[in-house]
Amino acid sequence: MSNLRTVITAAAFGLVAMQAQAAVAPQDLVNPITDYKLYVLDNLEQFSSHTREFTDAIKVGDLQRAQQLYAPTRVYYERIEPIAELFADLDASIDAREDDYEHGVQDPTFTGFHRLEYGLFHEHSTTGLGDYAERLMSDVETLEQSVQNLTFPPEKVVGGAAALMEEVAATKVSGEEDRYSHTDLWDFQGNLDGSKKIFELVKPLAAQEDPAFVARIEENFTAIENTLAHYYLIEGDASSGFESYDKVSERDRRALVGPVTVLAEELSTLRGLLGLN
Amino acid sequence: MSDRDDLSPGCPFSGLNRRRFLQGLGAAGIGAAATALSSGALADQQVRAAEVTDAPSSSATHQSHPFYGVQQQGIVTPRPAVGMLASFDVLVADRQGLERLLRTLTERIAFLTQGGTYEQRDPRYPPVDSGILGPSIDPDGLTITLSVGASLFDDRFGLGAVKPRHLQRMVAFSNDALDADRCHGDISLQFCANTEGTTIHALRDIIKNTPGMLMLRWKQEGTVPVMAPRSDGSTESARNYLGFRDGTANPPADNSGLMQNVVWVDASNQEPEWARNGSYQAVRIIRNFVERWDRTPLQEQEAIFGRRRDSGAPMHGGIEHDLPVYDNDPDGKVTPLDSHIRLANPRTRGSERNLILRRPFNYSNGVEANGQLDMGLLFIAYQADLEAGFITVQKRLDGEPLEEYIKPVGGGYFFTLPGVQAGDYLGSSMLAASQRHS
């Protein structure tokens, strides 16, 4: 790992030239960006191995196991979406929803997790899903390769903290992301983890600029986590997974919308605060 | 234009807005333009012809209505061409949060309705304003009216003891088909302005400034058809999407004594003291089946409404503002007993207690699954007593022949807070009164 770190650090130094009169010195971002790349690669590695188990289950026709693995596999992707989205074609073939296609589920170019979700949770069958599973596995491997060779643009990394909360605000709160499996809370937690990770990495820099800002962000992350905790499958155990999104009370949905919107709004200033162009 | 007169021939672009200049060239191309400039044809270029995408102009963008006052604006203020009703859920958890929300709303409404400029931020940050009205905000006749729903008086904020007496969750009437996604709300904001850009800008400003405090629940926009001024200075009521004038029988808003009786809560209403100078707001989204209506004989349309369509006059003739007379028509041979206007206002002794001030807009949303238009009336009415006002009138209308052509699908009841003076915030008297009760 230490070897990889050196390589990445060197690449990340490319950002020095982009900085002008930022209050935060450009080299201060080198370590956070390096650490973030390690986080992304680690998640991608796990994403890849979980996707293999998931797609293997589909290919052998084990419906129940495939259904069980659907949500826990996606979490790794949801955490690193700001980077995955840099590869728009792969992002579309891995994670597009039927709404992205004029003909919905019938569209022959609709592939990826949500196409499989439709088969597994709506048609309750693995029949005909083999090719989609095959394609997903190969897309995920391509993504992993592509990210390894990527120099992480600092503005995309720092901006990713807000982008993940926009993702939550736009599709998770309404329960439309995983409309057949109702596993939205898993994705929600994944987006939240990813956003929080970025924030944690630059927190010392942000705190130098505006400690009150840091306090507001932390307060709202905590508020969301406290609400999500009501829906752990095993009380007090974040790793146990989540209840179905249709179990979330109206009051808790509102309790989530507030801090999600605040975080989207506050984190949208993080790039400016760190002097990124 | 004089600043362009000093162009030196050696520098044809100096002093010119380059983009506009190039736009003006059209297909002529740069080479031709250079020739034109050097041959002294410059004067023709100086007054730019109207472009397709130029902003339409209006002389009313500077119009503003006072925000501070005993009562809120946007109720007796003459209705402009554009309106929007937005309903919100309040997300804050306690009284402190509610006060912060009400203070923020007061501050934003004070700014938006009077206009001005906003802070220009370091461009590495998101801008503070959406920018859709440019760097300087013209009020454009904007009014924003803040009202609260019955749900705000639940257990969250300790307001239960000071709820206005008639404030309640709207219950479906016999012809209603209420869509839960377009009903009720903790707070309503009524936006009225000369143009839609202004109401949308105001809504986006308020959303941007209340993260974590408000969640938009539903909204309905509407318009009023604009008419040319008449040579004799007289005015007529605007028409709804059924082609009939709407609001002919409205009590005149410039009659302050009448408004005191009809619209504003005062000591005579047995309401909590804080509610004085507030009003009940009844909102209804009423879909009109316009295709079917357009296939209905005119005499039947007129019998259903109880008025002449084109003139707006009563069935017995005259002009729009002639009062309908029913004394000599006890059996409804001229104006049917079940016609809309006769049921809504029978003009019998005591029925003046049921007067309301209507402020409706026409809406047009899209297309239904059957290919028919989704359009109708965004009905908004104000009254000092919701029970004696809208609810009584609507109960009289239940079963009316017009129901074949209309279907109420949304809306809600709200209480419009009293006005505010500079330095204070909307709703402060409500919070102070509940403090005393708790």
Side-chain angles (χ1 to χ4, degrees):
Chain A
M1 254 347 203
S2 68
N3 209 5
L4 180 57
R5 172 179 276 274
T6 316
V7 174
I8 296 167
T9 306
F13 266 111
L15 65 92
V16 174
M18 300 170 53
Q19 299 292 312
Q21 300 115 343
V24 172
Q27 59 270 28
D28 292 345
L29 279 168
V30 172
N31 278 331
I33 302 289
T34 307
D35 287 343
Y36 184 64
K37 183 157 185 181
L38 293 174
Y39 171 80
V40 170
L41 291 178
D42 180 44
N43 272 281
L44 271 176
E45 200 180 310
Q46 298 194 59
F47 181 47
S48 189
S49 63
H50 280 81
T51 303
R52 183 160 303 284
E53 287 178 50
F54 172 59
T55 52
D56 283 350
I58 292 170
K59 284 194 280 187
V60 300
D62 189 341
L63 175 66
Q64 205 188 350
R65 183 164 165 76
Q67 285 176 335
Q68 277 167 3
L69 293 177
Y70 172 78
T73 302
R74 292 178 47 74
V75 167
Y76 302 99
Y77 189 78
E78 294 291 325
R79 284 180 185 159
I80 57 129
E81 258 188 313
I83 296 305
E85 281 173 355
L86 297 176
F87 303 91
D89 291 349
L90 284 171
D91 185 41
S93 66
I94 292 172
D95 198 33
R97 291 180 291 131
E98 64 186 68
D99 318 65
D100 298 324
Y101 300 90
E102 186 180 354
H103 301 294
V105 286
Q106 305 307 328
D107 196 298
T109 55
F110 175 39
T111 61
F113 274 104
H114 295 298
R115 178 63 186 83
L116 293 167
E117 180 197 7
Y118 178 78
L120 297 174
F121 294 93
H122 183 74
E123 300 189 313
H124 303 283
S125 166
T126 56
T127 309
L129 298 183
D131 288 350
Y132 294 117
E134 198 86 54
R135 167 75 184 271
L136 176 65
M137 192 62 237
S138 107
D139 284 339
V140 170
E141 281 169 343
T142 310
L143 177 69
E144 198 182 1
Q145 283 296 319
S146 311
V147 174
Q148 272 166 3
N149 301 325
L150 177 75
T151 302
F152 279 30
E155 73 282 1
K156 294 284 182 207
V157 172
V158 175
L164 282 159
M165 296 318 296
E166 294 290 358
E167 189 72 27
V168 174
T171 60
K172 306 304 189 297
V173 166
S174 56
E176 63 191 88
E177 173 88 22
D178 299 298
R179 72 192 57 171
Y180 300 112
S181 62
H182 307 295
T183 54
D184 303 83
L185 289 180
W186 293 75
D187 291 24
F188 196 134
Q189 182 77 51
N191 288 158
L192 188 74
D193 290 345
S195 178
K196 204 172 158 190
K197 177 70 182 181
I198 296 169
F199 175 71
E200 292 292 338
L201 289 172
V202 298
K203 189 166 92 176
L205 302 174
Q208 285 170 27
E209 301 297 314
D210 188 350
F213 168 82
V214 170
R216 288 197 300 276
I217 302 270
E218 292 189 317
E219 182 192 323
N220 283 285
F221 272 133
T222 305
I224 295 175
E225 286 176 330
N226 288 345
T227 304
L228 287 177
H230 300 166
Y231 299 96
Y232 293 158
L233 284 176
I234 299 170
E235 201 179 325
D237 182 1
S239 64
S240 64
F242 288 93
E243 302 248 32
S244 169
Y245 196 69
D246 37 19
K247 297 250 174 72
V248 180
S249 70
E250 199 50 48
R251 183 161 271 211
D252 277 340
R253 285 184 197 212
R254 287 200 241 177
L256 290 168
V257 170
V260 164
T261 315
V262 173
L263 283 172
E265 194 70 45
E266 294 277 4
L267 288 169
S268 74
T269 67
L270 189 58
R271 274 179 298 178
L273 189 72
L274 301 182
L276 282 161
N277 285 306
Chain B
M1 292 299 156
S2 61
D3 59 332
R4 293 183 186 176
D5 289 339
D6 59 6
L7 288 175
S8 71
C11 184
F13 295 112
S14 70
L16 268 180
N17 175 322
R18 185 176 151 81
R19 182 173 159 268
R20 287 224 166 134
F21 176 68
L22 291 175
Q23 277 177 347
L25 290 177
I30 304 277
T35 312
L37 284 169
S38 59
S39 66
L42 186 62
D44 294 336
Q45 297 281 343
Q46 288 176 353
V47 179
R48 195 171 62 87
E51 295 289 347
V52 171
T53 49
D54 283 351
S57 62
S58 157
S59 55
T61 60
H62 295 290
Q63 186 185 12
S64 71
H65 299 290
F67 169 60
Y68 297 111
V70 174
Q71 292 135 356
Q72 285 196 67
Q73 54 173 203
I75 297 174
V76 296
T77 315
R79 175 189 57 177
V82 173
M84 182 203 300
L85 202 294
S87 163
F88 298 85
D89 289 335
V90 167
L91 300 178
V92 296
D94 52 24
R95 291 173 64 94
Q96 209 184 351
L98 184 61
E99 180 178 331
R100 190 162 52 93
L101 167 63
L102 292 169
R103 284 184 183 279
T104 305
L105 288 173
T106 305
E107 183 245 322
R108 294 323 299 164
I109 296 171
F111 170 72
L112 291 164
T113 59
Q114 307 307 304
T117 54
Y118 50 83
E119 179 201 344
Q120 292 293 330
R121 229 172 178 187
D122 179 336
R124 285 177 292 197
Y125 285 85
V128 300
D129 188 274
S130 62
I132 61 176
L133 298 181
S136 158
I137 310 300
D138 286 338
D140 194 30
L142 176 68
T143 60
I144 305 177
T145 310
L146 171 61
S147 312
V148 295
S151 52
L152 196 74
F153 297 85
D154 63 14
D155 57 356
R156 286 171 291 168
F157 307 109
L159 296 173
V162 299
K163 185 167 80 68
R165 198 156 58 103
H166 300 298
L167 189 58
Q168 57 197 282
R169 185 181 166 93
M170 183 175 74
V171 178
F173 292 89
S174 56
N175 186 43
D176 291 8
L178 298 180
D179 169 5
D181 292 338
R182 289 192 280 175
C183 287
H184 321 304
D186 291 334
I187 275 184
S188 85
L189 289 175
Q190 176 201 266
F191 301 81
C192 301
N194 296 326
T195 56
E196 192 183 44
T198 301
T199 53
I200 288 174
H201 171 266
L203 175 66
R204 281 177 56 179
D205 180 279
I206 282 171
I207 289 171
K208 172 103 179 150
N209 282 283
T210 54
M213 295 198 275
L214 283 183
M215 178 183 177
L216 189 57
R217 190 180 166 92
W218 53 270
K219 77 169 165 67
Q220 181 61 60
E221 290 155 288
T223 56
V224 180
V226 175
M227 293 171 67
R230 294 169 75 173
S231 53
D232 62 358
S234 65
T235 55
E236 303 166 285
S237 301
R239 293 177 191 275
N240 59 26
Y241 279 160
L242 299 179
F244 279 72
R245 296 181 193 280
D246 192 340
T248 303
N250 239 5
D254 58 355
N255 181 339
S256 58
L258 189 55
M259 289 299 103
Q260 194 61 52
N261 288 335
V262 173
V263 174
W264 306 117
V265 168
D266 61 19
S268 71
N269 294 105
Q270 295 158 345
E271 290 285 0
E273 201 177 327
W274 73 265
R276 289 183 193 171
N277 293 304
S279 187
Y280 286 95
Q281 179 191 56
V283 180
R284 306 268 289 165
I285 301 172
I286 306 170
R287 196 178 152 213
N288 296 169
F289 301 122
V290 295
E291 288 88 349
R292 184 171 179 190
W293 182 253
D294 291 344
R295 292 189 279 257
T296 301
L298 179 61
Q299 61 183 17
E300 192 175 329
Q301 293 185 0
E302 292 183 332
I304 286 170
F305 265 104
R307 282 191 183 277
R308 300 293 175 195
R309 186 182 79 159
D310 289 357
S311 64
M315 293 300 275
H316 47 74
I319 61 165
E320 182 195 354
H321 290 291
D322 286 343
L323 289 181
V325 178
Y326 306 135
D327 297 349
N328 53 4
D329 180 30
D331 301 324
K333 291 200 164 62
V334 180
T335 309
L337 298 176
D338 59 3
S339 66
H340 184 74
I341 71 156
R342 193 160 180 175
L343 284 174
N345 186 355
R347 297 177 189 270
T348 49
R349 187 184 299 270
S351 66
E352 69 280 355
R353 283 190 61 246
N354 312 120
L355 286 175
I356 59 178
L357 181 68
R358 299 160 62 94
R359 195 181 170 85
F361 295 89
N362 300 327
Y363 77 83
S364 173
N365 284 346
V367 184
E368 293 284 314
N370 58 10
Q372 295 192 336
L373 292 163
D374 178 8
M375 56 171 56
L377 189 72
L378 170 59
F379 173 95
I380 304 172
Y382 293 92
Q383 56 259 286
D385 181 336
L386 180 65
E387 202 68 59
F390 173 74
I391 291 177
T392 297
V393 172
Q394 183 53 52
K395 280 180 182 162
R396 281 196 207 125
L397 289 169
D398 278 353
E400 63 171 328
L402 181 61
E403 286 182 352
E404 292 271 349
Y405 302 91
I406 65 174
K407 185 58 76 180
V409 294
Y413 300 145
F414 300 91
F415 187 79
T416 303
L417 299 172
V420 64
Q421 303 298 333
D424 199 2
Y425 63 94
L426 289 162
S428 69
S429 62
M430 174 180 74
L431 280 178
S434 61
Q435 196 75 54
R436 286 194 291 277
H437 276 88
S438 60

